[in-house]
Amino acid sequence: MDRFAAHESRHGGRGVIAAPHRLAALAGRAVLEEGGNAVEAMLAAAATIAVVYPHMNQLGGDGFWLIRGPSGRVAYIEAAGYAGAGATRAFYRDAGYDAVPTRGPLAALTVPGQIGGWMLAMEMAKGLGGRMPLKRLLEDAIHHARAGYPVSASQERLTAEKLAELKDVPGFAKAYLADGGKDGGKPPAEGTTQRVVRLADTLEQLAGAGLADYYRGDVGRELAADLERAGSPVTRADLESYRAMERKPLAATLRGMKLWGSPPPTQGLASLMILGVFDQLGVAEPEGFAHIHGLVEATKRAFLVRDRVVTDHDRLTVALASFLTAAALEREAAAIDRRRAAPWPQKAARGDTVWLGATDKSGISVSYIQSIYWEFGSGLVSPSTGILLQNRGASFSLDPKAANPLEPGRRPFHTLNPCMAELPDGRFVAFGSMGGEGQPQTNAAVMSRYGMFGVPLGQAVARPRWLLGRTWGDDTIGLRVEGAFDSRVADDLLRAGHELSALPEDFSDTMGHAGAVVLHPKGQVEGTHDPRSDGDAEAV
């Protein structure tokens, strides 16, 4: 385990931000240095990463915020778009589809909610004393879009892996292939400069006219016209009527911490349930069989509940708080065999995402996720605006009896789920991960290590991880472990009946990109981001 001790967290006295791309972390750090608060730093980082990490997120996706103010109140922003007016089951059935397409214009069937979330976050930032103008917060993103940014290794790799299904989607080649697709449609090489000038123009327009312009102004008009020409079922009226909203976050009180998570349509319930069920098992130390087996089995219990009850928030039929009571968590823990693996698999969810976290000495903390779902989302790029549209609506079912059937105005299921925790000694932690089905599992791995067992923050994120089910860009269902995983524990898991396989890499993207920031009781800040990502934490 010594080799993982080298991944240290960053410390500061004023603020810290963690992001899966270093340019995003630097954009947030600059805002903190100039006196901006953690929410403002997050907006700058979120805008920047939407430019420089387009395979994971862009301006055409959704987002979810947890924001804790100095008073200790935790607010939650749901910025999830709903299915467009033309997105009916009959529309897809008549077009010959048995399932919602995963790429192309017909995959771009939900309103992008992310910018609406930025709008609400801007309002909250001002309410918490923020004074930074929008133009300043978008400055770094505009610069990187117009002047160009260095292509990351993961962008090159994932463009190559998904090229066959993306290269013919309208707008994709011109925006995201080398030389605008003129050289035969090759992926851009790592380290080369990629410019997205149309996106820079859009960001400049938003900086001047305000974020509402995305839905109800010039940007919205141009985006809607492009969507109509491409054949997307999202209309201009859909864009004009969209509003992000504040909801009450999910919350749970364990023996060792308080937890907050995102309610439906996200799988935030699963993250809280896994930690809550595991807490009931009374495991004494990390990294052994009891720790890993306990979390994997708690994951199974949580996923069974999630798949049964999580849907559009406005269509819930049960009170989710009932699954987070001490009695409910104890009941789920009692169903776990501490020596044998329960039968699996179940259907698994997929998704690509970025998680970012920030905190400052005033007591503000932010846990934020934004996403376009699969690698490059639908692949559809609006030629007038440079906006890449998500394919989140591919998670809808064309079966009217399904838990999440396609209907105009309905929000799809989301893997995205930011988290927060307060520890008994007063430390406040914002944490999260990308990685589809792996998100709640990684959240539980990191927080059980740091919050329950006292593992240093950097090591809690860096140590070898595991994954039950499918994650971003992958269809495997069983239990996988990283190459650096303890072989003796792996053997114990195999003997217990887990269907286990080892990945060849010590650090694997398959396990997602996790991060965390901590506000300590005396005002010091600390942060870390995953060595599996292209990012880091930056402190001031």
Side-chain angles (χ1 to χ4, degrees):
M1 206 62 68
D2 289 346
R3 63 188 299 272
F4 298 101
H7 186 69
E8 297 180 350
S9 55
R10 303 296 179 93
H11 297 261
R14 292 164 51 193
V16 66
I17 186 159
H21 195 291
R22 188 164 184 267
L23 291 177
L26 289 172
R29 175 184 172 172
V31 168
L32 291 169
E33 286 177 328
E34 293 168 28
N37 64 32
V39 181
E40 293 171 320
M42 181 59 66
L43 285 161
T48 298
I49 203 165
V51 172
V52 303
Y53 229 37
H55 49 304
M56 295 294 175
N57 73 134
Q58 220 245 31
L59 295 193
D62 286 343
F64 300 91
W65 297 74
L66 287 172
I67 299 174
R68 186 252 200 185
S71 69
R73 176 181 177 267
V74 175
Y76 169 67
I77 296 172
E78 176 198 277
Y82 40 70
T88 65
R89 294 189 297 275
F91 171 79
Y92 286 94
R93 295 289 191 194
D94 291 347
Y97 292 100
D98 294 323
V100 177
T102 56
R103 301 292 196 187
L106 295 186
L109 70 150
T110 59
V111 175
Q114 178 177 306
I115 303 302
W118 291 6
M119 292 169 65
L120 267 185
M122 277 288 293
E123 292 177 16
M124 289 189 183
K126 291 178 181 177
L128 295 169
R131 296 292 181 268
M132 302 284 276
L134 178 62
K135 184 177 181 180
R136 170 63 190 93
L137 300 181
L138 299 184
E139 186 177 288
D140 283 48
I142 293 168
H143 168 76
H144 293 304
R146 192 170 301 286
Y149 64 90
V151 172
S152 65
S154 59
Q155 182 179 341
E156 178 189 9
R157 182 179 70 256
L158 288 167
T159 306
E161 287 180 8
K162 307 302 175 183
L163 186 60
E165 56 197 81
L166 289 167
K167 61 184 178 64
D168 296 324
V169 177
F172 181 80
K174 185 174 182 180
Y176 290 113
L177 295 186
D179 254 355
K182 295 175 184 177
D183 65 349
K186 296 178 182 178
E190 177 187 357
T192 58
T193 299
Q194 187 161 56
R195 296 175 178 84
V196 278
V197 176
R198 286 294 183 199
L199 192 61
D201 293 341
T202 293
L203 286 163
E204 283 192 338
Q205 171 67 15
L206 295 176
L211 294 173
D213 195 79
Y214 185 98
Y215 300 101
R216 292 169 284 279
D218 292 343
V219 172
R221 183 188 67 249
E222 295 299 322
L223 177 59
D226 284 348
L227 290 174
E228 182 179 5
R229 280 189 289 268
S232 164
V234 175
T235 68
R236 186 175 181 186
D238 292 326
L239 291 172
E240 288 176 337
S241 63
Y242 179 75
R243 302 288 192 285
M245 61 184 62
E246 184 178 352
R247 296 193 192 274
K248 185 178 180 180
L250 291 179
T253 300
L254 312 186
R255 288 175 294 180
M257 68 182 76
K258 295 178 181 178
L259 291 169
W260 290 266
S262 54
T266 83
Q267 63 173 338
L269 175 66
S271 284
L272 271 57
M273 279 192 70
I274 294 169
L275 281 164
V277 172
F278 176 76
D279 185 51
Q280 292 286 334
L281 298 178
V283 176
E285 58 185 27
E287 314 307 334
F289 172 81
H291 181 203
I292 312 306
H293 174 76
L295 283 175
V296 171
E297 296 305 297
T299 296
K300 294 175 182 177
R301 303 303 304 175
F303 281 2
L304 289 171
V305 173
R306 177 202 67 184
D307 293 347
R308 189 171 75 249
V309 304
V310 172
T311 185
D312 186 333
H313 191 281
D314 295 336
R315 292 166 169 83
L316 290 171
T317 59
V318 293
L320 297 192
S322 66
F323 297 102
L324 296 171
T325 65
L329 297 172
E330 184 179 0
R331 218 169 28 245
E332 294 292 344
I336 291 175
D337 186 326
R338 300 190 185 214
R339 293 180 295 275
R340 295 295 302 172
W344 206 252
Q346 298 288 328
K347 184 179 178 182
R350 167 183 179 178
D352 297 331
T353 302
V354 292
W355 176 88
L356 307 94
T359 193
D360 63 44
K361 67 177 182 179
S362 76
I364 301 171
S365 294
V366 184
S367 183
Y368 176 54
I369 283 184
Q370 62 186 28
S371 171
I372 49 174
Y373 198 27
W374 289 17
E375 306 88 351
F376 293 105
S378 68
L380 177 67
V381 179
S382 157
S384 302
T385 66
I387 294 170
L388 172 65
L389 281 302
Q390 65 185 352
N391 64 336
R392 181 62 61 176
S395 65
F396 281 123
S397 173
L398 297 184
D399 179 357
K401 297 179 181 179
N404 288 284
L406 176 62
E407 296 170 358
R410 190 181 190 114
R411 296 172 183 85
F413 172 78
H414 273 271
T415 53
L416 315 183
N417 65 117
C419 295
M420 286 181 162
E422 185 175 10
L423 304 185
D425 63 3
R427 283 174 291 165
F428 196 88
V429 190
F431 63 104
S433 176
M434 58 81 78
E437 193 89 337
Q439 285 186 42
Q441 299 179 66
T442 297
N443 289 341
V446 171
M447 207 58 218
S448 63
R449 285 167 170 164
Y450 180 73
M452 296 177 175
F453 299 126
V455 175
L457 190 67
Q459 293 184 43
V461 168
R463 285 184 180 183
R465 295 207 291 263
W466 58 92
L467 174 70
L468 177 72
R470 189 168 67 185
T471 186
W472 65 298
D474 188 274
D475 294 321
T476 305
I477 300 296
L479 179 64
R480 284 160 291 168
V481 298
E482 288 183 302
F485 194 85
D486 189 324
S487 60
R488 293 168 297 180
V489 177
D491 289 342
D492 290 341
L493 292 168
L494 281 167
R495 282 190 288 269
H498 291 279
E499 187 178 326
L500 185 141
S501 60
L503 297 169
E505 308 93 348
D506 283 355
F507 290 116
S508 174
D509 273 343
T510 300
M511 298 298 161
H513 299 160
V517 295
V518 181
L519 177 64
H520 290 272
K522 294 184 179 180
Q524 303 97 327
V525 297
E526 180 183 5
T528 192
H529 208 280
D530 213 314
R532 299 161 182 85
S533 77
D534 296 293
D536 204 349
E538 294 287 339
V540 293

